Amino acid sequence: MKNLLFVSRHAPYGTGIAREALDALLGASAYGQNLSLLFMDDGVFQLLNAQNPSKLNQKNLSANLPALPLYDVENIFVHSESLRARALHADDLVLEPKLFKVISSQEVAELMNQQDQLLSF
Amino acid sequence: MKNLLFVSRHAPYGTGIAREALDALLGASAYGQNLSLLFMDDGVFQLLNAQNPSKLNQKNLSANLPALPLYDVENIFVHSESLRARALHADDLVLEPKLFKVISSQEVAELMNQQDQLLSF
Amino acid sequence: MSTLHTVNKSPFSHSTLASCLSICQPGDALLLIEDGVYGALASSPQAEQLRAVHAKGVRVYALEPDIEARGLVGRRLDEVELSDYAGFVRLSSELRCVQSWY
Amino acid sequence: MSTLHTVNKSPFSHSTLASCLSICQPGDALLLIEDGVYGALASSPQAEQLRAVHAKGVRVYALEPDIEARGLVGRRLDEVELSDYAGFVRLSSELRCVQSWY
Amino acid sequence: MVSRPLVFSLAVYGAPFSAQASQTAYAFAKALIDVGHRLERVFFYQDGIHAANVLAVPPQDEENLTEAWHSLAREHQVELVVCIAAALRRGLLNGEEAQRYGKPASNLAPGFEIAGLGQLLEAAVTSDRLITFGA
Amino acid sequence: MVSRPLVFSLAVYGAPFSAQASQTAYAFAKALIDVGHRLERVFFYQDGIHAANVLAVPPQDEENLTEAWHSLAREHQVELVVCIAAALRRGLLNGEEAQRYGKPASNLAPGFEIAGLGQLLEAAVTSDRLITFGA
């Protein structure tokens, strides 16, 4: 079993990157690997609650996030400095606090160094 | 005759924007309008001398710039703050100083306000 | 003769908004669209600069469908008004030229 | 266990390099590619931060074909070494993982 | 309805799906027509040209932007012009170009025409407003 | 030649011409093979899928990246895999998909195959190194 970390760094909706990152992660869940997901930089905006892209004819990207544990995503990490720079707090987010872990820059570095591969988005 | 300003704000080679901006400008020269070109932000990197993209299998974007006056481009403007932020000086550039005018942010605003249309790249 | 500026990039990851704000003049209008609407947040790196250009007479708007999409309803600076697509059309007809910052 | 970081965006217009530098650790390597090579300039907004991570043990490279393409030969910081594509391959095999910052 | 109708043209530089620009441009186009202005031309350049690819199969619950542009153009006499240089490089061809370059198929959607870059300049000259939607 | 050959896979997310990523990925691919490593798979996703469009007509003095990938793959037994979901949305189809969706043509270049997103994960699992080329 390999350790694979998906790194998602882009805001939702403005480009297709955030969505296609999530699609790749969901598609990966069938392969029985040790999958983790890290939100950082503008990627933390994917976690903001009350998203409603119906007028853009796009799917609500945040709707799938609470179901990630069902997809065998072992750990969801959120970069603390990225949250802080955007003044986002735990109660602004679509995930319950028990579903993710807020980690420092130092811990992001350590997390990357524990992986077998990084999937950078 | 209309006043049309092409605004070129992106670095060369990393994306196709700078090149397709220049193509659009050259294609515009046959229409007998009052064409101007403004380089600002990373667009000023298009002016840097000694570019050599042969190993990237790309054309040298800066090679066409000295010929712009032949294409009826009346005025070439370069944003001073963009040069300053990148520590670029007149002798770093591929254009002779007489071929372009360095203008301030205030003058960029005035220039935009004198146009009939802006072509934003 | 004034200009409508549109900005479609997040100010947390791109310098696009900062560039635009350094050019905006009194009488101009600024419309934040797409990922540019993150520039309406009080935590935006350009929040102070945005307030300053607003104070000197630049009207500032954010496209409501983009604000809603990203969950930013109720989180925007007081200086930023909401606009729908019809408002975007109105702004672009009122003002002479449109500069798209992307 | 260390990581190779690649950065392909200009630090004058994107915060990509700044983000990467805040994560790099001693033993990691950083390779500037494509428009990322503007980060090798002394005038880069992240020049000081780049020098600092270099001083604490992060090796810093720039892809030579991209440096040449953009006219940056002879303009780079002393801390930045040149690498060709074979060097990029070597770095990515020496280090365990590659994080692409784009 | 507006008291003084203007003639608009749009320049679209982002690909559907990959960049929101094409979606924003379409919403803007509908809105300007709704309030009584005239949309003369939409010029697709850079990655914007992918909006004219008839082979695109968007997800079932999403709008097909290619067909949406076509309908809008038909109902309101809008020219949908794709830059030929940008299209060739990116593999968007009409029947004539496919034949000229010995390619096995063409993929330009109905309602769109392929023309030179000069059409962008012409739109800038003949319209009251040219609005760029960049990616 | 390297003393310890590794198995590489690449993930390419940028379109030829619009982003340099696809060019960098190709140069990297050639270099890793030249020094004696093995390239197992190139996975084209997001806008990277446009590299597999057989209809692209690059400017005459420029490399045809689609053909270049094909040659490299043929000479060195590299799998060129295009993500089906990304391809459908963007109008890149093989014959089978064209038929399934009632489209008038197909445009997948020889040497490329269309497959599911799982192939990206599989590449990550079975290769020693996965390198992403983002746009």
Side-chain angles (χ1 to χ4, degrees):
Chain A
M1 195 152 90
K2 294 230 178 176
N3 296 323
L4 306 176
L5 176 67
F6 286 68
V7 181
S8 191
R9 295 181 46 256
H10 292 83
Y13 311 118
T15 69
I17 299 177
R19 173 169 173 184
E20 296 193 274
L22 200 56
D23 287 349
L25 177 61
L26 298 178
S29 71
Y31 288 76
Q33 305 296 322
N34 187 13
L35 304 178
S36 302
L37 170 61
L38 166 66
F39 291 103
M40 67 177 292
D41 296 334
D42 276 353
V44 300
F45 282 133
Q46 297 175 46
L47 294 163
L48 207 50
N49 59 24
Q51 293 175 43
N52 178 9
S54 56
K55 286 187 192 155
L56 306 186
N57 289 306
Q58 291 201 37
K59 275 185 202 135
N60 189 336
L61 266 186
S62 63
N64 279 323
L65 300 181
L68 282 177
L70 304 178
Y71 285 90
D72 287 334
V73 178
E74 300 293 324
N75 292 294
I76 302 176
F77 299 97
V78 184
H79 181 226
S80 57
E81 279 78 358
S82 299
L83 288 176
R84 196 175 309 137
R86 291 157 185 80
L88 300 182
H89 306 285
D91 58 358
D92 294 318
L93 306 186
V94 71
L95 289 184
E96 284 179 60
K98 65 175 181 189
L99 287 181
F100 63 94
K101 196 174 164 201
V102 176
I103 61 175
S104 68
S105 294
Q106 174 70 37
E107 289 169 313
V108 167
E110 286 161 16
L111 179 67
M112 287 183 175
N113 285 340
Q114 289 156 13
Q115 305 302 314
D116 290 299
Q117 307 277 12
L118 302 176
L119 291 102
S120 313
F121 288 97
Chain B
M1 194 151 91
K2 296 229 175 174
N3 295 324
L4 306 176
L5 175 66
F6 285 69
V7 181
S8 192
R9 295 182 47 256
H10 291 82
Y13 311 118
T15 70
I17 299 177
R19 173 170 173 182
E20 294 192 276
L22 200 56
D23 286 349
L25 178 61
L26 298 177
S29 72
Y31 288 76
Q33 306 295 323
N34 188 12
L35 304 177
S36 301
L37 171 60
L38 167 65
F39 291 103
M40 70 177 291
D41 296 334
D42 276 352
V44 301
F45 282 133
Q46 297 175 47
L47 294 163
L48 206 50
N49 59 25
Q51 293 175 42
N52 178 9
S54 56
K55 286 188 192 154
L56 307 186
N57 289 306
Q58 291 202 36
K59 275 184 203 137
N60 189 335
L61 267 187
S62 63
N64 279 324
L65 300 181
L68 283 176
L70 304 178
Y71 284 90
D72 288 334
V73 178
E74 300 291 325
N75 292 293
I76 301 176
F77 300 97
V78 183
H79 181 226
S80 58
E81 280 79 357
S82 300
L83 288 176
R84 195 174 310 136
R86 290 157 185 81
L88 300 183
H89 307 286
D91 57 359
D92 294 319
L93 306 186
V94 71
L95 289 183
E96 285 180 59
K98 64 175 182 190
L99 286 182
F100 64 94
K101 197 174 163 199
V102 176
I103 62 175
S104 69
S105 295
Q106 173 70 38
E107 289 169 313
V108 166
E110 287 161 16
L111 179 67
M112 287 183 177
N113 286 340
Q114 289 157 13
Q115 305 302 314
D116 291 297
Q117 307 279 12
L118 302 176
L119 291 103
S120 313
F121 288 96
Chain C
M1 296 308 176
S2 294
T3 301
L4 171 63
H5 303 267
T6 66
V7 170
N8 78 344
K9 293 290 182 291
S10 161
F12 295 93
S13 53
H14 292 71
S15 62
T16 319
L17 178 59
S19 295
C20 171
L21 290 172
S22 73
I23 298 297
C24 282
Q25 292 298 313
D28 286 357
L30 164 61
L31 174 63
L32 305 172
I33 66 172
E34 304 173 3
D35 286 345
V37 298
Y38 292 113
L41 289 171
S43 56
S44 153
Q46 268 68 56
E48 274 316 303
Q49 218 185 331
L50 189 147
R51 283 205 184 96
V53 303
H54 180 267
K56 73 176 189 185
V58 175
R59 289 172 291 159
V60 183
Y61 302 87
L63 204 52
E64 191 168 17
D66 286 318
I67 288 276
E68 281 179 12
R70 290 162 181 80
L72 306 184
V73 176
R75 298 179 196 265
R76 70 182 197 281
L77 290 165
D78 291 338
E79 287 79 3
V80 181
E81 287 177 63
L82 293 181
S83 167
D84 57 11
Y85 292 110
F88 185 179
V89 171
R90 196 159 50 243
L91 285 168
S92 57
S93 51
E94 278 172 30
L95 296 155
R96 172 91 170 276
C97 284
V98 182
Q99 162 64 6
S100 304
W101 302 80
Y102 59 91
Chain D
M1 293 310 176
S2 295
T3 301
L4 171 63
H5 303 267
T6 66
V7 170
N8 78 344
K9 293 290 183 292
S10 163
F12 295 92
S13 54
H14 291 71
S15 62
T16 318
L17 178 59
S19 296
C20 170
L21 291 172
S22 73
I23 298 297
C24 281
Q25 292 299 315
D28 285 358
L30 164 61
L31 174 63
L32 305 171
I33 66 172
E34 302 172 3
D35 286 346
V37 298
Y38 292 114
L41 289 171
S43 56
S44 153
Q46 266 69 55
E48 274 316 303
Q49 217 185 332
L50 188 146
R51 282 205 185 96
V53 304
H54 181 267
K56 73 175 187 185
V58 175
R59 290 172 291 158
V60 183
Y61 302 87
L63 204 52
E64 190 168 18
D66 286 317
I67 288 277
E68 281 179 11
R70 291 162 180 81
L72 306 184
V73 175
R75 298 179 196 266
R76 69 182 198 282
L77 291 165
D78 291 338
E79 287 79 3
V80 181
E81 287 176 63
L82 293 181
S83 167
D84 56 11
Y85 292 110
F88 185 179
V89 171
R90 198 160 46 243
L91 285 168
S92 56
S93 51
E94 278 173 30
L95 295 156
R96 172 92 170 276
C97 283
V98 182
Q99 161 64 6
S100 304
W101 302 80
Y102 60 92
Chain E
M1 301 299 273
V2 291
S3 55
R4 195 173 64 95
L6 297 177
V7 176
F8 279 76
S9 285
L10 312 184
V12 182
Y13 299 159
F17 205 88
S18 303
Q20 205 193 327
S22 64
Q23 199 75 46
T24 307
Y26 178 70
F28 183 89
K30 277 199 304 188
L32 79 87
I33 290 170
D34 279 352
V35 301
H37 294 300
R38 158 133 188 79
L39 181 57
E40 171 100 8
R41 178 177 296 168
V42 185
F43 190 81
F44 298 91
Y45 189 42
Q46 300 179 39
D47 284 341
I49 63 100
H50 291 298
N53 185 347
V54 74
L55 303 181
V57 183
Q60 285 194 336
D61 48 354
E62 289 177 31
E63 192 170 38
N64 184 322
L65 206 54
T66 304
E67 291 173 5
W69 278 120
H70 184 196
S71 301
L72 193 80
R74 199 174 39 213
E75 285 167 38
H76 302 282
Q77 293 76 53
V78 181
E79 290 175 36
L80 304 177
V81 180
V82 176
C83 170
I84 186 166
L88 284 173
R89 289 162 187 163
R90 291 173 175 86
L92 182 75
L93 307 176
N94 62 15
E96 194 183 330
E97 298 302 327
Q99 197 164 22
R100 187 196 316 271
Y101 293 100
K103 294 293 185 179
S106 62
N107 55 348
L108 184 72
F112 294 80
E113 57 182 306
I114 289 190
L117 255 173
Q119 301 288 303
L120 171 61
L121 195 85
E122 204 189 272
V125 171
T126 62
S127 307
D128 298 307
R129 294 292 182 278
L130 174 74
I131 321 282
T132 301
F133 294 88
Chain F
M1 302 301 273
V2 291
S3 54
R4 195 172 63 97
L6 297 177
V7 176
F8 279 76
S9 285
L10 312 185
V12 181
Y13 299 159
F17 206 87
S18 303
Q20 204 194 326
S22 65
Q23 199 75 48
T24 306
Y26 178 69
F28 184 89
K30 277 197 305 186
L32 80 86
I33 290 169
D34 278 353
V35 300
H37 295 299
R38 157 134 188 81
L39 180 57
E40 172 99 8
R41 179 177 296 169
V42 185
F43 189 81
F44 297 90
Y45 190 42
Q46 299 180 38
D47 284 342
I49 64 99
H50 291 298
N53 185 345
V54 73
L55 303 181
V57 183
Q60 286 195 336
D61 48 355
E62 289 178 31
E63 190 170 38
N64 184 320
L65 208 53
T66 304
E67 292 173 4
W69 278 121
H70 185 195
S71 301
L72 194 78
R74 199 174 38 213
E75 285 167 38
H76 302 280
Q77 292 79 51
V78 180
E79 290 175 35
L80 303 178
V81 179
V82 175
C83 170
I84 186 166
L88 284 173
R89 291 162 185 163
R90 290 173 176 86
L92 181 75
L93 307 177
N94 62 15
E96 195 183 330
E97 299 301 328
Q99 195 164 22
R100 185 195 317 270
Y101 293 101
K103 294 293 185 178
S106 62
N107 56 349
L108 185 72
F112 294 80
E113 56 181 307
I114 290 190
L117 255 172
Q119 299 290 302
L120 171 61
L121 195 85
E122 203 189 273
V125 171
T126 61
S127 306
D128 298 306
R129 294 291 182 277
L130 174 74
I131 321 283
T132 301
F133 294 88

